[in-house]
Amino acid sequence: RDRKILDASSRWGVFALSFVVMFLLMGMTQNVVNSLCPDRRCSILTISVVQGLFVFIFPTMLSWLMTSARPWNMMGMDRSLTLKSLGWMLTLYVIAYPAMAQIIYYNADISFPDSMKGLEQTLRDWENAGADATAAIMSTTTVGGLIVNILIVGLFTGLAEEMFFRAGIQRMMMASRLSPAVAIWSAAAIFSFVHFQFFGFVPRLLLGAMFGYVYWRTGSIWAPALLHGINNSLVVVTEWINHRNGTTFDFEQYVTNTSGIPWWFIFSTLLTILFIIYSNNLSNKRIANGGGN
């Protein structure tokens, strides 16, 4: 019951070392994957699976298994997702979506001063390279291709990243006695930074904070993993429909203001804040009355 291989003080060391080792090994498998998958889409998807399993999931699980007597509990893998929690987190996502969409537009529209145009172009080139890889994945128009993209890009990637950033970094920070707020925002900042997309940094930071908040509130890693998967899958399905029908449909265009007063953004932001305050107050009352979250 209380057995563990290493002391808790070794947790960050195990996590960092296993991540670096797995990251380097993954780089060495690139040529093998390319030889097995000459098609670019197949290659990118295969590398995504390898990265998710060994770079994101493995370091987190290894760290908790070696340094905790209750690893599944610490990661939140032993707590199922209830219908009540599902409804709560989907409500949060829906009411926050317009605000996120507007921030995506604002962040993408940032323009640097003339003295920094070189840096701006470099940052945009990085993003274009990432967008090119995404376009290769989304290029399919078959039903089978859609299912594969949902399973890998949507659900699996959502689970892998949540295991690393929330069950790993965020939970370890909280176990190190950092406050939930510091842990949530720190993990979200790292989550956004490692995507290397400056013109999408702020919305991804806020999205990561939402996933972290959902993880903290529910105590289950399956909650943010599912929400992350739904968020990714919406993009996958939309892009599939667009490629199949030759359209340019985008949910964000209906709630994004490119000029004038951004009413959707204002309403969504206020409603999201009020919803979080209400949820926290309700949770605190339940705890005070001897209940759970």
Side-chain angles (χ1 to χ4, degrees), residues 3 10 22 51 55 70 94 103 114 126-127 147-149 159 163 182 191 195 199 209 250 252-253 265 270 288:
R3 292 174 58 190
S10 304
M22 290 298 105
Q51 174 181 273
V55 179
R70 299 180 301 140
V94 169
I103 294 171
D114 291 340
W126 288 356
E127 298 211 11
I147 294 173
V148 169
N149 279 0
L159 173 62
M163 281 291 293
V182 171
F191 166 72
H195 282 82
F199 298 97
D250 186 355
E252 295 171 8
Q253 65 184 331
F265 169 73
L270 291 176

Side-chain angles (χ1 to χ4, degrees), residues 175-212:
S176 300
R177 307 301 183 187
L178 288 176
S179 70
V182 171
I184 288 170
W185 285 102
S186 297
I190 297 170
F191 166 72
S192 186
F193 176 79
V194 299
H195 282 82
F196 296 106
Q197 293 182 329
F198 173 83
F199 298 97
F201 180 85
V202 176
R204 188 170 281 108
L205 167 69
L206 296 176
L207 191 64
M210 179 191 293
F211 295 151

Side-chain angles (χ1 to χ4, degrees), residues 99-118:
M100 291 285 191
Q102 189 68 45
I103 294 171
I104 289 172
Y105 169 76
Y106 285 146
N107 199 167
D109 201 44
I110 290 176
S111 180
F112 288 20
D114 291 340
S115 61
M116 300 178 66
K117 285 298 181 182

Side-chain angles (χ1 to χ4, degrees), residues 7-68:
D7 187 74
S9 61
S10 304
R11 186 171 298 136
W12 281 108
V14 174
F15 184 72
L17 180 60
S18 57
F19 169 76
V20 171
V21 171
M22 290 298 105
F23 183 81
L24 293 175
L25 288 176
M26 191 197 76
M28 296 168 61
T29 65
Q30 182 100 29
N31 291 334
V32 176
V33 171
N34 290 338
S35 64
L36 294 175
C37 297
D39 176 72
R40 188 165 183 237
R41 178 171 176 271
C42 172
S43 176
I44 295 173
L45 288 173
T46 302
I47 290 173
S48 296
V49 172
V50 173
Q51 174 181 273
L53 283 172
F54 296 104
V55 179
F56 287 159
I57 295 178
F58 178 76
T60 297
M61 296 193 70
L62 180 67
S63 301
W64 285 115
L65 286 168
M66 293 187 70
T67 64
S68 174

Side-chain angles (χ1 to χ4, degrees), residues 271-291:
L271 190 59
T272 301
I273 293 172
L274 291 174
F275 183 76
I276 291 175
I277 292 174
Y278 170 77
S279 298
N280 287 343
N281 288 340
L282 188 63
S283 178
N284 291 335
K285 287 180 181 179
R286 285 175 179 167
I287 292 174
N289 293 329

